Amino acid sequence: MAEIVLDGITKRYPDGALAVRDFNLTIADGEFVILVGPSGCGKSTTLNMIAGLEDITEGTLRIDGRVVNDRAPKDRDIAMVFQSYALYPHMNVRDNMGFALRLAKVDKAVIRTKVEEAARILDLTQHLDRKPANLSGGQRQRVAMGRAIVRDPKAFLMDEPLSNLDAKLRVQMRTQIAALQRRLGTTTVYVTHDQVEAMTLGDRVVVMRGGLVQQVGTPQHLYDAPVNLFVAGFIGSPGMNFLGATLEQNALRTSLGDLAVDDRLRRLLERQDAPRELIVGIRPEDFEDAALVGERRTGQACTATVDVRESVGSDVYVHFTQEGGPAGITELAELAADSGLADTGMRGHRIVARLDPATRAAEGSPMDLWIDTSRIHVFDPATGANLTHPERAEY
Amino acid sequence: MSPPAAETEAAAPSAPGRRGELSEGARQERRLGLLLCAPAVVVMVAVTAYPIAYAIYLSLQRYDLRFPDQAHWVGFGNYGAVLTSPFWWQALWVTVLITVVSVAVELVLGMALALVMHRAIFGRGTVRTAVLIPYGIVTVVAAYSWQYAWTPGTGYLAALLPAGSAPLTDQWQAIGLIILAEVWKTTPFMALLLLAGLALVPGETVRAAMVDGATFWQRLWLVILPLMKPAILVALLFRTLDAFRIFDNIYVLTGGSNDTGSVSILGYDNLFTALNLGIGSAISVLIFLCVAAIAFLFIKIFGAAAPGGEPERR
Ligand SMILES: Nc1ncnc2c1ncn2[C@@H]1O[C@H](COP(=O)(O)OP(=O)(O)OP(=O)(O)O)[C@@H](O)[C@H]1O
Ligand SMILES: [Mg+2]
């Protein structure tokens, strides 16, 4: 177990590609940190640099207080779980799990006990003498985990360890990994591009984009106070809705009507010299069916025509289309591309609202919606910065 | 942790599909397959089965081209003559020696070259081309250049040796030089086959071994080579069969003198120098049997034990 410190880590590949830029993070002993971001943002590269599989171009990496930039992977005492599991196909499960100990010249009897203990924890005991090729996907995944835990290393590094499993198994394994990490208390860095995994697993989440760290914080903090458009759109499912807005005297004029600006928000916007053209972000759950909202609550009502109604039992998701969504914002285009929305060929701008199941909303007919204006986010379209939560990311 | 119940069930090996019950579609497909193979089979029979059968037929006769009228059936007499002759056993011994030593050396060098080519980041194409040059040169041409190089008085390599030495006239030195020429010539082929095998070793598995604490040699011995075993066996099989039939290098370098001849040289001498078709054919058939035995051994003994015998799923 150890503290891992990344100090100004930069990675430039030999072909000139700048994969990671000035990465600063201190991972506390025993902490579970998630690296999340869209494909190609440098998550694996960062992890491989910690493991020693990629050279660090600039910056220093300290594990347990020692600079390890120039140490080979075998001298870093770190275990890694790969996306493909990377099991040794010619060895049985027992030998796969004991391989690192065997290389470390640990006594045979000790290896045996440790492997059997790990197999018991992971429920692999009856498979110890089988070859990886004869195991199911979930079992192979557990062997890969077992190979890491028998070593009792300073840290676990996991690169999308669950992405080859089907959805149901992924949820089960996610819970098991979280429980295992808590039980062993080993520092863990976990890479995923699945924001649900990121939100549910980690003590802290690092959101990356294009090799740059966007924000570091607890899952709740990232959800409540995203520093910019990218984090706001990336965290949360379904994602935050974005609307173009013009700042008027006391209101933000949007295609959903005028949203009142309260004193706190006005002061914030004035202090930051906000431009007149802004982007408003509203989370799906900050909408409600106007008919179900009591008189007491302050907010804004508007009318929209329902395109699609999806009921998931506990909630009803209502989709509707608005003209004049924010255009020409690279972050939003990237988010849409990452979530596959760009390919759906939808015209106009799609808004998703999460409503109480008691709603009477019906497809094709207009309905009155209520927006919780106290919870909206306002972004500067030029910088993408969140003007509602101007505090810097907590490191 | 408790395993997901459904998954434990799925772990049991699935029952093999029942044999012998081909559907109509499958039968038609098989018929089409046979039809498509037929032309190739016909050509094969014409160009290989017929000569082999004819050689066997000849080997069972006393047939000397100098006295064609006296040809007559002798059954296995020629085989008896060959197998009791010290020349055959001497040639066989030389052949086996050359085969074993040259293939072993080629395997090691070829593996080293394959690793270099696999890891080369800069000038990959140049490295591969350079390595392949010896393989691209006609064997006889290369053999002659070796012969000149080792001939006292004219050769640049012979000049490096103490005065008065003529390496190609001494049995052991000549065999050594024949092996050298063989190795120089065919290591690139070995390297290419091994490179193909190396490309099949998953990068993540090797990286996992690095993280698990393996040094370069440990990765090579414990992970890379076992995973390459099928490719290594194929390379060894090809090269062993090739080396066993060695002819041109010996023919040019020593002509088989001083007990340096291989079985192929012996067969050639009997067939084309002595014009004894019966004995020569018997030797050819024996070589064919040896080659078949080598192939059989490789496939039976090593093939069955190879982890990649049936392709592994990962
Ligand atoms: N060996 C390499 N040589 C050059 N560029 C590379 C190399 N490996 C990765 N890159 C580049 O570095 C960037 C980051 O890659 P990385 O593999 O870290 O992404 P990632 O965040 O893990 O993505 P994914 O979710 O798809 O796995 C990418 O733009 C990629 O093209
Ligand atoms: Mg990756």
Side-chain angles (χ1 to χ4, degrees):
Chain A
M1 274 167 265
E3 181 189 71
I4 301 175
V5 181
L6 295 100
D7 191 359
I9 299 279
T10 294
K11 173 69 190 185
R12 190 186 294 279
Y13 279 107
D15 67 358
L18 192 53
V20 177
R21 270 179 282 176
D22 193 26
F23 193 119
N24 292 290
L25 183 68
T26 299
I27 301 166
D29 185 15
E31 197 178 15
F32 198 147
V33 165
I34 310 276
L35 303 185
V36 70
S39 190
C41 69
K43 309 178 294 287
S44 298
T45 303
T46 307
L47 204 67
N48 288 339
M49 285 192 286
I50 300 176
L53 295 171
E54 290 287 356
D55 290 333
I56 295 169
T57 314
E58 268 168 50
T60 49
L61 172 68
R62 281 192 293 278
I63 298 177
D64 235 359
R66 288 217 192 87
V67 177
V68 296
N69 283 39
D70 296 324
R71 281 207 203 168
K74 69 185 181 65
D75 301 321
R76 296 192 186 189
D77 191 17
I78 270 178
M80 189 150 172
V81 178
F82 293 85
Q83 179 173 1
S84 68
Y85 315 140
L87 302 178
Y88 309 119
H90 56 298
M91 299 181 197
N92 62 22
V93 171
R94 184 188 300 279
D95 294 342
N96 259 286
M97 286 168 58
F99 189 63
L101 297 179
R102 179 177 143 206
L103 293 178
K105 304 219 161 42
V106 175
D107 185 64
K108 279 222 174 64
V110 178
I111 297 182
R112 208 182 162 80
T113 0
K114 285 199 172 180
V115 167
E116 272 161 18
E117 163 74 4
R120 203 181 46 70
I121 296 176
L122 293 164
D123 220 330
L124 285 168
T125 309
Q126 70 272 41
H127 304 302
L128 274 178
D129 295 312
R130 300 175 69 188
K131 291 270 177 70
N134 301 331
L135 299 178
S136 72
Q139 289 163 346
R140 281 182 226 175
Q141 209 284 328
R142 296 208 299 274
V143 176
M145 294 292 298
R147 201 164 62 174
I149 66 174
V150 285
R151 288 177 50 191
D152 194 15
K154 286 194 176 135
F156 294 140
L157 306 180
M158 306 191 191
D159 194 349
E160 309 203 16
L162 303 183
S163 58
N164 284 348
L165 300 179
D166 64 61
K168 199 167 160 214
L169 207 50
R170 198 179 313 165
V171 174
Q172 283 171 342
M173 281 310 297
R174 193 170 79 202
T175 328
Q176 295 187 352
I177 287 182
L180 193 64
Q181 198 272 345
R182 218 163 296 131
R183 168 173 166 175
L184 300 172
T186 308
T187 314
T188 303
V189 185
Y190 186 108
V191 163
T192 178
H193 61 245
D194 177 354
Q195 57 92 19
V196 180
E197 249 170 51
M199 295 297 281
T200 49
L201 272 176
D203 296 326
R204 274 195 304 163
V205 176
V206 180
V207 183
M208 296 180 70
R209 169 179 172 241
L212 280 173
V213 172
Q214 304 290 300
Q215 189 173 9
V216 182
T218 61
Q220 196 62 50
H221 182 77
L222 295 189
Y223 191 82
D224 293 339
V227 289
N228 59 27
L229 270 175
F230 182 81
V231 177
F234 192 78
I235 301 288
S237 174
M240 188 183 278
N241 302 294
F242 297 106
L243 294 165
T246 311
L247 185 59
E248 300 291 346
Q249 196 55 41
N250 284 324
L252 285 158
R253 179 152 297 159
T254 73
S255 55
L256 283 177
D258 288 354
L259 304 177
V261 173
D262 60 20
D263 286 347
R264 189 188 75 96
L265 184 56
R266 193 196 347 268
R267 272 197 302 275
L268 272 173
L269 293 180
E270 272 167 13
R271 202 169 69 217
Q272 294 172 91
D273 275 338
R276 261 173 61 82
E277 296 300 325
L278 293 164
I279 292 175
V280 168
I282 310 171
R283 293 226 179 259
E285 65 270 25
D286 294 332
F287 286 98
E288 192 49 273
D289 186 338
L292 303 173
V293 178
E295 290 298 318
R296 305 155 274 110
R297 297 186 57 182
T298 54
Q300 181 71 43
C302 62
T303 308
T305 305
V306 178
D307 283 337
V308 178
R309 175 193 155 119
E310 291 172 341
S311 178
V312 294
S314 57
D315 300 294
V316 169
Y317 291 99
V318 169
H319 299 243
F320 48 95
T321 314
Q322 282 294 312
E323 292 306 322
I329 311 287
T330 49
E331 277 104 327
L332 296 183
E334 224 171 87
L335 283 168
D338 191 55
S339 61
L341 274 183
D343 305 331
T344 53
M346 294 278 308
R347 245 167 308 149
H349 184 65
R350 175 168 271 218
I351 304 279
V352 182
R354 198 174 95 193
L355 308 180
D356 191 282
T359 179
R360 292 249 171 77
E363 283 181 16
S365 39
M367 72 171 293
D368 287 333
L369 279 165
W370 171 87
I371 299 166
D372 185 348
T373 44
S374 68
R375 294 181 57 91
I376 63 171
H377 299 262
V378 178
F379 301 92
D380 180 340
T383 63
N386 188 344
L387 304 174
T388 343
H389 296 277
E391 73 264 49
R392 295 264 24 103
E394 57 173 50
Y395 274 94
Chain B
M1 283 193 182
S2 68
E7 190 204 323
T8 327
E9 305 271 319
S14 59
R18 240 182 271 160
R19 298 264 205 99
E21 289 175 26
L22 288 181
S23 67
E24 183 58 27
R27 211 171 306 134
Q28 282 203 352
E29 202 162 292
R30 182 190 269 189
R31 199 171 313 136
L32 178 65
L34 289 177
L35 273 177
L36 289 176
C37 288
V41 172
V42 170
V43 173
M44 284 285 281
V45 167
V47 302
T48 63
Y50 172 71
I52 291 174
Y54 190 54
I56 293 174
Y57 168 74
L58 282 179
S59 73
L60 299 175
Q61 313 217 3
R62 165 154 300 163
Y63 196 163
D64 191 327
L65 266 190
R66 288 169 302 176
F67 315 104
D69 318 338
Q70 295 172 16
H72 64 273
W73 186 264
V74 292
F76 288 97
N78 288 327
Y79 291 94
V82 171
L83 291 175
T84 52
S85 148
F87 293 113
W88 163 259
W89 294 109
Q90 169 63 31
L92 184 64
W93 152 242
V94 168
T95 309
V96 170
L97 179 74
I98 291 177
T99 303
V100 169
V101 175
S102 63
V103 171
V105 174
E106 282 165 23
L107 178 64
V108 174
L109 288 182
M111 191 68 214
L113 279 179
L115 284 172
V116 168
M117 288 192 277
H118 189 64
R119 297 178 59 150
I121 300 170
F122 305 104
R124 205 177 257 228
T126 321
V127 172
R128 289 187 188 182
T129 313
V131 165
L132 269 179
I133 287 175
Y135 194 61
I137 298 175
V138 180
T139 313
V140 173
V141 174
Y144 269 112
S145 73
W146 281 110
Q147 196 224 353
Y148 287 127
W150 291 115
T151 302
T154 59
Y156 67 99
L157 288 172
L160 303 176
L161 299 173
S165 55
L168 289 175
T169 60
D170 172 87
Q171 187 199 3
W172 291 110
Q173 292 182 19
I175 289 181
L177 296 183
I178 290 167
I179 291 175
L180 177 69
E182 268 298 280
V183 168
W184 178 82
K185 173 90 181 99
T186 47
T187 300
F189 177 67
M190 194 71 140
L192 271 198
L193 287 182
L194 293 176
L195 182 64
L198 208 50
L200 292 180
V201 177
E204 278 206 344
T205 308
V206 178
R207 286 148 86 86
M210 278 170 120
V211 178
D212 268 350
T215 62
F216 172 77
W217 292 110
Q218 285 171 326
R219 292 200 297 274
L220 189 64
W221 274 113
L222 302 175
V223 177
I224 297 177
L225 288 182
L227 292 186
M228 279 180 69
K229 195 167 160 191
I232 293 176
L233 284 177
V234 167
L236 280 182
L237 176 63
F238 279 6
R239 273 305 303 142
T240 308
L241 295 185
D242 243 17
F244 193 82
R245 292 173 298 147
I246 179 170
F247 179 81
D248 20 19
N249 265 323
I250 301 182
Y251 184 80
V252 172
L253 284 173
T254 68
S257 54
N258 298 314
D259 285 342
T260 56
S262 67
V263 285
S264 294
I265 294 277
L266 189 66
Y268 174 86
D269 283 347
N270 277 285
L271 270 175
F272 298 106
T273 314
L275 299 178
N276 191 332
L277 292 193
I279 296 283
S281 298
I283 293 175
S284 307
V285 172
L286 285 173
I287 295 174
F288 171 74
L289 291 179
C290 289
V291 166
I294 294 172
F296 181 79
L297 282 182
F298 260 97
I299 289 165
K300 268 294 162 223
I301 299 181
F302 298 117
E310 74 285 3
E312 300 227 9
R313 292 181 293 136
R314 254 182 307 272

